């Protein structure tokens, strides 16, 4: 079973919005004292993969400067899903977006989703 399943990418005009979702499958379970971070990264052609936004098991969020004020990361624990709400999209947001789950306690885990394409037209 694939640990992370992404959805929500697509084509949108500049100024539009998209919501990406990353669902953690039942093959991954968290203990009560787990510390982990779930993040969204993106990679544009010819560029390095970069962090867009992340949320820790405690709920702390952080954003890339390019995402601040436009993107919001959130988590629905009941659905085991992390969302990335993207608004006021720009052509430079065009990239493949990847979901990541990184756990450091009690065990080290690192999973990546398959990626979802976001295209923003001008």
């Amino acid at each position: 079973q694939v640990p992370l399943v992404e959805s929500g990418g697509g084509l949108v005009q500049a100024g539009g919005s998209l919501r990406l979702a990353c669902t953690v499958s039942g093959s991954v379970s968290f203990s009560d004292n787990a510390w982990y971070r779930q993040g969204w990264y993106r990679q544009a052609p010819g560029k390095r993969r970069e962090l867009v936004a992340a949320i820790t098991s405690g709920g702390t969020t952080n954003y890339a400067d390019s995402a601040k004020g436009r993107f919001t990361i959130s988590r629905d624990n009941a659905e085991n899903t992390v969302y990335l709400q993207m608004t006021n999209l720009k052509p430079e947001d065009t990239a493949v977006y990847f979901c990541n789950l990184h756990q450091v306690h009690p065990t080290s885990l690192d999973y990546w989703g398959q990626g979802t394409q976001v295209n923003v037209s001008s």
Side-chain angles (χ1 to χ4, degrees):
Q1 194 174 14
V2 178
L4 304 178
V5 179
E6 299 152 349
S7 62
L11 173 64
V12 65
Q13 288 188 329
S17 300
L18 282 175
R19 188 177 77 160
L20 307 182
C22 174
T23 300
V24 181
S25 74
S27 65
V28 180
S29 60
F30 300 113
S31 61
D32 291 341
N33 64 342
W35 191 96
Y36 55 89
R37 188 179 77 167
Q38 294 169 281
W40 285 97
Y41 290 73
R42 68 185 181 188
Q43 188 167 19
K47 294 189 176 181
R48 286 185 172 183
R49 189 172 297 189
E50 61 178 0
L51 176 68
V52 177
I55 183 168
T56 69
S57 48
T60 300
T61 59
N62 68 286
Y63 297 89
D65 287 343
S66 59
K68 289 177 181 176
R70 300 188 300 127
F71 295 1
T72 303
I73 190 169
S74 62
R75 181 172 58 229
D76 184 331
N77 290 325
E79 297 293 328
N80 287 329
T81 299
V82 172
Y83 298 97
L84 183 67
Q85 178 68 50
M86 303 185 293
T87 63
N88 191 21
L89 282 161
K90 304 175 181 181
E92 52 263 43
D93 295 317
T94 294
V96 179
Y97 284 70
F98 296 90
C99 178
N100 172 257
L101 168 60
H102 182 70
Q103 179 177 284
V104 297
H105 181 82
T107 58
S108 178
L109 299 172
D110 195 72
Y111 295 123
W112 288 91
Q114 79 282 3
T116 186
Q117 180 71 48
V118 171
N119 290 312
V120 184
S121 63
S122 57

